[in-house]
Amino acid sequence: MTAGEDIAIRRKRLRYRAWHRGTKEMDLILGPFADANIEGFGTAELNRLEQLMDEEDPPLLKWVMRQEEPPAHVDRDFLESVIADHQERIGK
């Protein structure tokens, strides 16, 4: 397996994870985000996505909906890109 195949498999795995979160709300936020962006992501962006997806759904949903501030360890710039993508999709 080459490095290119490795990243293709990683993209496929993360895309699947984005659509199969455990809560439908997060599926509908992260799934479309992954569909739209993941093919253009390199290793650094995939790491950022994976780190964000390691968070639990209930607090992650609250952060995306701006009901709570995320803790300091959360990559806010990347979270903001997810939020902006979601808001664009729902027409806000």
Side-chain angles (χ1 to χ4, degrees):
M1 190 160 37
T2 68
E5 288 173 319
D6 285 343
I7 201 164
I9 289 168
R10 187 170 180 210
R11 285 180 180 132
K12 187 175 181 177
R13 180 178 51 82
L14 286 172
R15 198 169 181 180
Y16 180 87
R17 274 186 68 195
W19 276 106
H20 298 88
R21 295 285 306 167
T23 64
K24 196 63 178 167
E25 294 86 356
M26 286 312 303
D27 292 351
L28 295 174
I29 293 168
L30 290 174
F33 176 81
D35 285 351
N37 297 289
I38 209 159
E39 290 303 318
F41 283 175
T43 302
E45 291 91 358
L46 294 175
N47 289 345
R48 293 172 83 186
L49 176 59
E50 193 164 33
Q51 189 172 24
L52 188 64
M53 289 199 315
D54 284 345
E55 298 291 336
E56 295 291 324
D57 280 356
L60 184 54
L61 182 60
K62 287 178 182 176
W63 306 335
V64 170
M65 303 312 265
R66 299 195 189 276
Q67 295 170 343
E68 286 183 8
E69 285 295 312
H73 74 272
V74 172
D75 182 341
R76 288 176 184 241
D77 289 339
F78 196 81
L79 177 61
E80 285 299 323
S81 66
V82 171
I83 292 168
D85 179 82
H86 175 65
Q87 288 178 338
E88 188 175 304
R89 284 179 206 293
I90 62 172
K92 280 193 175 178

